Amino acid sequence: MPPVSVLIAAYNEAKVIAETLRAVLSTDYAGEIEILVVDDGSTDDTAMIVAAMARADNRVRLLRQANCGKA
């Protein structure tokens, strides 16, 4: 199976980002998967939560940018 990249745009998603990542990580896709979370200048703990999950699972990556709007 080909590798799959999942992109998640996030802005102040601290309440739900961990569960979102766990849901994607628990898929039964047999191929390689990577999850790229683009933190759009969150002012809550979104980036900290994603960074901690990235340290625990190398399939998760955090990209940070100044707030530009999730779209």
Side-chain angles (χ1 to χ4, degrees):
M1 300 197 114
V4 169
S5 295
V6 178
L7 301 174
I8 300 174
Y11 177 74
N12 290 343
E13 305 289 346
K15 292 181 180 179
V16 297
I17 195 66
E19 185 58 33
T20 300
L21 290 171
R22 282 192 287 273
V24 176
L25 288 168
S26 68
T27 63
D28 59 0
Y29 182 71
E32 184 179 337
I33 187 170
E34 71 173 341
I35 304 168
L36 304 172
V37 179
V38 180
D39 178 52
D40 189 42
S42 293
T43 58
D44 64 2
D45 291 333
T46 299
M48 182 187 72
I49 294 166
V50 176
M53 294 186 78
R55 285 190 296 274
D57 191 318
N58 65 1
R59 297 175 293 174
V60 178
R61 290 185 48 209
L62 171 64
L63 304 171
R64 298 183 83 185
Q65 67 180 31
N67 183 261
C68 296
K70 283 171 58 172

